[in-house]
Amino acid sequence: MEITRRGLIGGAAVGGGLLISWWALPRNYPNPLTPARGEHVLGAWLKIAEDGVVSVAVPQLEMGQGITTLIPQIVAEELGADWRQIAVEPAAAAAAYANAPLAERWIGLWDPVTAGLSENTDEMLAHRFATSQRFTATADGTSLAAYEQPVREAAATARAMLAMEAATRWETSWEECQVEAGIVSFGDSRATFGELASGAAEQSPPDPPPLKPEAPNANPHSSQTLNNQSGGALTGSFPRIDLPSKVDGSHRFAGDVRLPGMVYAAIRHGPNNGSELTDFSVEAAQGITGIVGAVKTKRWLAVAATTSWAAQRALQAMEPQFTADFPVSSEDITARLDTLLTSGDSFKIAEIGFGEEAMTRVDLARRYEVDAFHAAPVETASAVARFSDGRLELWIASQAPEQARAAAAKAVGLSVEDVALYPMSAGGSFDARLEHDHAIEVAHIAKELGKPVQLTWSRREEMIRSRPSAPVFTLIGAQLAGGEGAGPPSGIIDALKLRVATPPSTHEFGKRLFGNLTPWAAIRETTGQKDALAVEGTVPPYDLPSVTVRHIPVETGYPAGRVRGNAHVASAFGIESFIDEIATESGREPLSYRMSMLGSDVRLAACLQRAATLAQWDGGSDQSGQGLACYRIGDAPTGGRIACVATARRGEGGLRVTRLSAAVDIGRIVNLDIARQQIEGGLLFGLGIALGNSPTMRSGLPESFEYSDLGLPKLVDCPEIVVDFLPSSQPHADPGELGVAVASPAIANALFSATGLRLRRLPLLSGGL
């Protein structure tokens, strides 16, 4: 899939900037839904069957975050359906499901030349790109921003069409009909959705859709009340649709797909650094029964067999050998970051207040280091492919399905139209499934063998081939009020400057995703580039007179990818650790010190106060074991806020985090249970980053391929987690990354409180001081 500016921009006006081909854009798109027998399509988002089942199209990947409940919940509420009659249908990528907010946020990745011309230009270009390229990627918490309004409008339209059909039968006006719990009624007349569906599908939809009025914000502390913009408070639990099948094991993932004549493939990759396959022994596998064939490329070797066990045994026996042209090690990466942090060329990313000139000296400076970490989902990369009669079918879990489809098509020499992708749920992802290497591989294997193939990466291959987050070294300096030296006891910050050394990892990722480049080609094309998203969140949430952020792009010699939390992990860790250090140096209590700098951000102040109450905050005094951190993601007026108090205690085997108390403001809450799950899951993911193990590289390979060696928290390691949501009338903000970001600094500050030892490197037990 080639993306060009010419395809998005109509031309240039003399002296007038850009002329965008905006008004020529289509406003209506082909309906991507196909009805089964007894079903009737009412718009691009839902179908109603004659038995009353409402099937809702969900174009986003379900990877545990609950999107296959959130979107149907919005439909059920606006439509007036009974939750028990709601079903979910994974939607194929289509223009009707374009994720324009994510396309706008990532405009610098697919069109770096035009990005940032103006808000209006970015919005229009993003809309055109998303629709023309069928861009429906699931990322950066944009699902509700992209789909809540279209889904509401679709459901409101369908509700009106059902009422119109009923009104036609009862000879009344449709506006007088009531729609509730899957029933349309007027006086003593009643009809179910199923009874009305056929006729309703023939009605002319009203314009504009008759949306239900907004209701006052509900109390988020009640587990039985959900606040939704579309139609008032919802009572009931609205349980997750995907939960029962995941509990009983019947939920289908790509690894559960079975096709007639299907074979199973195992694959071996070399180091993730441009290595090439040099040798393997075919003879060594000849005694293993069930082998169907082997497929080799420049970068990998795959063996297919009638069982996955036979394929793995054969691959191991063949002992594939690879070159290691760029044998990068963790020591090499650290040395490059260390050297460039203070002396490397930099780009100014942000400047607020009085700017860079306001800092005439540095009274306190600290350096914070964050090693690379893996997404490490429980489900390794898995896909099924069938190549037949010049067409390719793919069963795969992908966060960017159209990009995966295009990459697979190119790999086997087909047009995108000759590839069908069937979306599957992911057993976790944490952004790992934004990559599509396994889609290319399984397509190639299926074409070469002429059989349906299921490819599942082993844990070893997942560790080798997945791209960990980029390492980040941050140097923060502060000028404190009162003259040279350490400043007065008040610790008032006059100016703050941050230098962030890290690869331009989001541009690198963008070249892979949108340009279909290999990892090494992507690194070559982006080396030395300024990357604002790679240092996102480095402007603190505090009201400071002067803040400057500079990015030092570093070529580490190893591909980097997106992992849950992304740049926010390093940003929150550096800033909130540094704020704690200033508070300690100036003798200030950490909570009141933060409160004094928040300015007009009353929402974050409320989070801090509430978290302190939940944790019975004692001021973080010596050996109390309590540490505090707060963070904001998104724009100041509407972004999500979180404050967290971590409690650590000494015990057998060392220090242990026993409790995480978090107060959260994410604006209007759509589903309280799912929001809570996202915060709790994020805090645990952050706990794993803080106290787990980062991969140590030797000669381009991890020293260990074992999942257990990542040191991820087990059930016995999980602290008590208390999460409270603050009432808010602001627009919904995504909760997915808030907990990840705030966990590490809160835990680091708690460990300092408990031991007096200040740890400035993640993972915290890696020895960085």
Side-chain angles (χ1 to χ4, degrees):
M1 177 175 57
E2 184 178 1
I3 302 161
T4 64
R5 294 177 65 229
R6 184 176 297 277
L8 296 171
I9 304 175
V14 177
L18 294 174
L19 286 176
I20 309 299
S21 304
W22 173 249
W23 301 109
L25 288 174
R27 292 299 186 265
N28 297 304
Y29 308 101
N31 195 320
L33 291 185
T34 301
R37 180 174 305 212
E39 285 186 330
H40 303 277
V41 175
L42 281 80
W45 290 93
L46 60 97
K47 301 181 294 186
I48 300 179
E50 291 172 4
D51 61 2
V53 173
V54 179
S55 296
V56 180
V58 177
Q60 297 279 272
L61 173 66
E62 176 59 74
M63 47 189 171
Q65 83 279 35
I67 195 60
T68 50
T69 295
L70 288 173
I71 288 179
Q73 176 188 318
I74 295 166
V75 168
E77 183 182 14
E78 188 68 51
L79 181 63
D82 188 316
W83 185 244
R84 294 168 295 184
Q85 69 188 109
I86 298 294
V88 174
E89 179 174 310
Y97 308 130
N99 189 343
L102 182 60
E104 183 177 356
R105 177 168 168 73
W106 283 1
I107 189 171
L109 306 187
W110 53 266
D111 187 10
V113 177
T114 308
L117 288 177
S118 73
E119 287 189 16
N120 289 337
T121 301
D122 285 358
E123 183 180 358
M124 289 188 289
L125 284 173
H127 187 276
R128 178 156 192 168
F129 165 79
T131 52
S132 65
Q133 303 297 326
R134 299 182 291 271
F135 180 66
T136 63
T138 308
D140 272 9
T142 54
S143 295
L144 287 181
Y147 301 116
E148 182 178 17
Q149 191 64 20
V151 163
R152 284 190 60 207
E153 291 176 354
T157 298
R159 170 168 43 82
M161 293 167 72
L162 289 165
M164 287 175 179
E165 174 61 20
T168 300
R169 298 182 183 185
W170 302 331
E171 297 183 350
T172 185
S173 65
W174 69 268
E175 293 89 348
E176 294 185 85
C177 294
Q178 301 295 316
V179 184
E180 186 177 1
I183 304 256
V184 182
S185 62
F186 174 74
D188 294 332
S189 301
R190 294 164 59 85
T192 66
F193 283 4
E195 292 168 341
L196 297 169
S198 176
E202 303 299 322
Q203 295 288 335
S204 298
D207 188 17
L211 297 172
K212 293 181 179 179
E214 297 182 16
N217 189 52
N219 175 16
H221 303 292
S222 170
S223 62
Q224 292 300 312
T225 303
L226 299 174
N227 175 44
N228 190 288
Q229 192 178 24
S230 60
L234 300 178
T235 56
S237 60
F238 278 78
R240 288 181 61 144
I241 290 177
D242 58 332
L243 192 58
S245 60
K246 288 179 176 177
V247 169
D248 66 22
S250 62
H251 198 91
R252 293 176 67 81
F253 299 92
D256 299 313
V257 173
R258 297 291 182 269
L259 300 177
M262 187 180 81
V263 296
Y264 301 86
I267 196 166
R268 181 69 57 88
H269 307 92
N272 197 355
N273 60 358
S275 61
E276 297 182 9
L277 178 66
T278 57
D279 191 26
F280 57 91
S281 172
V282 175
E283 294 78 12
Q286 287 182 349
I288 300 173
T289 59
I291 297 176
V292 174
V295 179
K296 70 170 185 173
T297 69
K298 184 178 180 181
R299 306 290 184 192
W300 49 264
L301 174 68
V303 178
T306 53
T307 67
S308 58
W309 175 239
Q312 289 284 359
R313 286 181 60 210
L315 187 64
Q316 185 174 0
M318 292 168 73
E319 295 185 340
Q321 304 295 311
F322 296 85
T323 62
D325 295 335
F326 306 95
V328 67
S329 68
S330 293
E331 288 82 0
D332 297 331
I333 294 172
T334 297
R336 295 184 193 188
L337 290 163
D338 183 64
T339 300
L340 294 177
L341 180 61
T342 55
S343 61
D345 294 335
S346 64
F347 295 95
K348 187 181 293 184
I349 296 294
E351 187 175 61
I352 63 173
F354 296 110
E356 202 162 18
E357 292 73 18
M359 179 172 277
T360 59
R361 66 180 189 280
V362 177
D363 294 321
L364 186 67
R366 295 290 185 269
R367 157 176 158 161
Y368 302 92
E369 304 171 0
V370 177
D371 290 338
F373 52 91
H374 277 287
V378 173
E379 179 194 33
T380 60
S382 182
V384 172
R386 178 165 56 193
F387 190 95
S388 178
D389 299 325
R391 289 183 58 82
L392 175 69
E393 295 174 281
L394 278 175
W395 288 260
I396 191 170
S398 174
Q399 289 181 246
E402 192 64 5
Q403 284 63 47
R405 179 173 169 239
K410 183 178 180 180
V412 294
L414 296 178
S415 66
V416 177
E417 289 71 24
D418 288 326
V419 178
L421 187 149
Y422 307 114
M424 307 297 294
S425 296
S429 173
F430 314 120
D431 279 357
R433 300 303 164 239
L434 281 167
E435 307 282 353
H436 48 240
D437 303 59
H438 55 306
I440 295 171
E441 293 166 356
V442 75
H444 192 80
I445 297 168
K447 181 182 180 182
E448 289 297 311
L449 296 182
K451 294 177 178 292
V453 176
Q454 181 178 89
L455 171 66
T456 302
W457 286 5
S458 66
R459 182 59 60 183
R460 178 189 186 278
E461 302 311 307
E462 183 83 13
M463 292 293 293
I464 290 176
R465 205 62 183 169
S466 64
R467 278 111 212 180
S469 65
V472 184
F473 280 23
T474 304
L475 181 63
I476 310 179
Q479 177 176 306
L480 304 174
E484 297 184 5
S490 66
I492 296 172
I493 300 174
D494 278 346
L496 202 67
K497 184 174 181 178
L498 297 91
R499 286 177 59 86
V500 186
T502 189
S505 54
T506 55
H507 286 307
E508 180 189 328
F509 157 74
K511 291 294 183 182
R512 295 195 301 267
L513 182 67
F514 297 112
N516 201 25
L517 297 188
T518 64
W520 270 101
I523 289 175
R524 286 194 298 268
E525 286 209 12
T526 58
T527 295
Q529 287 188 4
K530 171 184 177 181
D531 191 343
L533 284 178
V535 297
E536 187 176 17
T538 42
V539 175
Y542 303 106
D543 187 8
L544 303 177
S546 171
V547 177
T548 306
V549 178
R550 286 190 167 273
H551 173 217
I552 304 104
V554 180
E555 199 272 282
T556 65
Y558 198 79
R562 292 181 65 81
V563 178
R564 186 178 187 181
N566 293 296
H568 295 294
V569 172
S571 298
F573 177 64
I575 291 167
E576 284 301 287
S577 295
F578 189 63
I579 292 298
D580 234 53
E581 294 210 48
I582 297 178
T584 300
E585 292 286 332
S586 57
R588 294 288 300 271
E589 186 271 322
L591 174 61
S592 60
Y593 182 59
R594 286 174 169 83
M595 295 285 288
S596 70
M597 295 188 293
L598 284 177
S600 60
D601 196 338
V602 295
R603 296 174 63 197
L604 189 52
C607 288
L608 278 165
Q609 291 175 325
R610 182 61 185 162
T613 300
L614 289 173
Q616 298 181 345
W617 171 255
D618 64 358
S621 56
D622 288 346
Q623 298 186 346
S624 72
Q626 287 193 324
L628 178 67
C630 64
Y631 199 63
R632 181 178 69 212
I633 294 180
D635 296 334
T638 60
R641 275 92 163 156
I642 189 169
C644 179
V645 176
T647 303
R649 293 282 183 264
R650 294 178 183 271
E652 293 184 9
L655 289 169
R656 178 185 176 87
V657 178
T658 59
R659 182 181 170 104
L660 294 171
S661 305
V664 186
D665 184 344
I666 56 169
R668 178 180 49 80
I669 298 173
V670 175
N671 186 304
L672 181 63
D673 288 342
I674 290 176
R676 189 180 305 281
Q677 291 161 16
Q678 285 285 282
I679 296 296
E680 291 174 346
L683 289 170
L684 288 177
F685 198 90
L687 178 73
I689 294 171
L691 301 180
N693 301 316
S694 61
T696 302
M697 306 300 299
R698 292 284 183 272
S699 299
L701 289 171
E703 282 192 339
S704 171
F705 305 121
E706 299 299 325
Y707 197 65
S708 58
D709 287 340
L710 291 174
L712 301 178
K714 303 180 179 65
L715 189 60
V716 70
D717 303 315
C718 293
E720 177 188 3
I721 297 178
V722 179
V723 178
D724 201 5
F725 290 91
L726 276 64
S728 178
S729 59
Q730 292 293 327
H732 172 81
D734 180 69
E737 296 185 339
L738 284 169
V740 186
V742 81
S744 294
I747 292 170
N749 293 337
L751 295 181
F752 172 76
S753 172
T755 66
L757 185 65
R758 179 65 69 179
L759 301 176
R760 302 189 182 98
R761 184 165 188 162
L762 291 180
L764 294 171
L765 304 183
S766 62
L769 301 177

